[in-house]
Amino acid sequence: MTRSSERPTPPEGLPSEVIDALTDCTPEELRKAIVHAQELLHFHGEAELPISAEANDDILRVTEHEGYTEVVKQFRCADGCDDCPHGPYLYHVTEEPHPNGSHKVHWSFMGPVHSQEE
Ligand SMILES: [Zn+2]
C-alpha cells in the first residue's frame, strides 16, 4: 500500500473492479487495454479522442462555429482491423477553460457522417 500516494485518482464513475484490474496491469498490458477500450468504443459507435490529432487520425473537415468547432474525421485502429478506416464521424469540439489558465478540450461524438453520393 506504499504506492497508493503515487497513484493517479481514477475518474469518477469508473467501477472499482476496473480500477483494481488496471492498477495491477503492467505498462504493456495497459497499452493493450487502451487499444481494446478503443475497439469497444468503435463497437458502441462512439469514440472520444484528444484534439491533438494522432498519427492514425484523418481530419477531413474543420468548421468553426460560435462556441464550438465542427470536426469531421476518420481514424484507424492502432493495429488496424477489417473495418478501418472508421468514420467519417462528426464531432463538436469545445474548449473548457480551467482555473489554472489551461484549456480542456472536449470532443462530443455527434454521429457518423454519411457521404452525399449515397
Ligand atoms: Zn479499425
Side-chain angles (χ1 to χ4, degrees):
M1 280 302 166
T2 51
R3 289 188 310 156
S4 63
S5 60
E6 302 167 20
R7 267 185 221 146
T9 308
E12 234 175 85
L14 192 63
S16 59
E17 58 265 32
V18 176
I19 295 165
D20 289 345
L22 290 175
T23 303
D24 290 339
C25 280
T26 63
E28 170 87 37
E29 288 168 337
L30 284 172
R31 275 192 288 275
K32 288 179 175 170
I34 290 167
V35 168
H36 186 56
Q38 284 187 334
E39 288 168 351
L40 289 172
L41 279 171
H42 293 177
F43 176 73
H44 288 296
E46 61 181 85
E48 228 172 316
L49 298 162
I51 198 168
S52 50
E54 292 170 21
N56 51 355
D57 288 350
D58 295 327
I59 305 246
L60 303 179
R61 184 159 54 85
V62 176
T63 315
E64 296 289 343
H65 292 270
E66 198 167 332
Y68 69 97
T69 305
E70 196 180 273
V71 178
V72 175
K73 72 173 181 179
Q74 58 186 16
F75 55 90
R76 291 178 288 273
C77 305
D79 296 325
C81 75
D82 290 344
D83 295 329
C84 282
H86 300 270
Y89 298 121
L90 173 65
Y91 295 85
H92 284 184
V93 183
T94 52
E95 280 194 36
E96 295 158 11
H98 275 217
N100 65 6
S102 71
H103 283 74
K104 186 182 188 301
V105 176
H106 183 74
W107 286 77
S108 301
F109 178 80
M110 306 308 288
V113 177
H114 297 291
S115 148
Q116 308 271 319
E117 288 100 328
E118 271 183 321

